[in-house]
Amino acid sequence: MWNVPNELTILRIFMAPVLVVVLLTELPDKEILGLVIFLLATLTDLLDGIIARRTNRITVTGAMLDPIADKLLMSGAFISLTGLGVAPAWMVFMIIAREFAVTGLRMVALERGIPIAANAWGKAKTTSQVIAVSLLIFSLKFPVFDLLAHIALWTALALTMISMVIYFWQNRGVISEPGNRE
């Protein structure tokens, strides 16, 4: 379990609540500090996968913890931004609900011995969410970026919903009755 990729994933898990605390407390320049924490955490997500693949250190623990770390970070960031009044609660709910739905689909598929790998739409969704969260945090300090941040949020929501529909469509046989797989 203890290897660099897994340690980066665990670091990201610990960074998620730190991000929430920083964003939701009255610290001087909390926006800049929050943005730095968020970007460093997303960097650990990028690095843990690269290192695991290149060094052949892919573990079951890492495969299970990585998506949890991702969801904690993004959910914590989006919920904090809702609390700060810059991200509408309904949009954040839709984004988080998609994560539960696709995770549920993956669990059902895995139970049936069918792994569901990330696809290009899932990667686009993640990238758009990172951009949206970054711009929303940045716009807290520099309101001139508010419009751009909200355009990024709408884009992230659209890609989030599109990726969910595609995951369910591509894996529709997984959720059919066992004798009715396509």
Side-chain angles (χ1 to χ4, degrees):
M1 174 181 158
W2 295 111
N3 60 41
V4 173
N6 289 353
E7 290 168 1
L8 288 170
T9 299
I10 291 168
L11 177 61
R12 189 164 65 260
I13 289 171
F14 284 107
M15 292 176 86
V18 172
L19 173 66
V20 171
V21 168
V22 166
L23 289 176
L24 296 179
T25 57
E26 293 304 320
L27 295 171
D29 294 320
K30 69 178 183 178
E31 303 85 0
I32 302 303
L33 181 57
L35 183 58
V36 168
I37 291 168
F38 179 73
L39 292 175
L40 284 174
T42 58
L43 182 62
T44 68
D45 185 26
L46 181 65
L47 290 176
D48 69 12
I50 291 170
I51 293 169
R53 284 185 294 278
R54 288 194 180 163
T55 62
N56 200 25
R57 300 253 169 124
I58 297 170
T59 65
V60 172
T61 302
M64 291 178 69
L65 287 180
D66 188 64
I68 292 169
D70 296 344
K71 285 159 188 47
L72 286 172
L73 178 65
M74 296 308 293
S75 296
F78 275 119
I79 291 168
S80 297
L81 292 166
T82 297
L84 292 167
V86 295
W90 73 269
M91 293 176 94
V92 170
F93 173 80
M94 297 296 290
I95 289 168
I96 293 172
R98 179 265 185 212
E99 298 306 325
F100 277 98
V102 172
T103 297
L105 174 67
R106 282 192 164 122
M107 289 172 63
V108 169
L110 199 54
E111 187 176 284
R112 296 180 181 184
I114 307 166
I116 298 176
N119 64 25
W121 286 99
K123 292 179 188 303
K125 177 265 313 176
T126 300
T127 302
S128 70
Q129 288 180 0
V130 168
I131 292 168
V133 167
S134 298
L135 286 170
L136 286 165
I137 294 171
F138 196 67
S139 73
L140 289 167
K141 184 78 171 173
F142 303 102
V144 69
F145 290 97
D146 188 58
L147 177 61
L148 181 61
H150 282 86
I151 290 169
L153 179 59
W154 277 98
T155 302
L157 179 63
L159 286 172
T160 297
M161 294 297 103
I162 290 167
S163 73
M164 179 182 68
V165 168
I166 289 171
Y167 273 111
F168 273 86
W169 178 255
Q170 288 177 339
N171 297 285
R172 63 193 175 279
V174 169
I175 55 177
S176 65
E177 292 300 316
N180 297 333
R181 285 195 206 151
E182 295 178 37

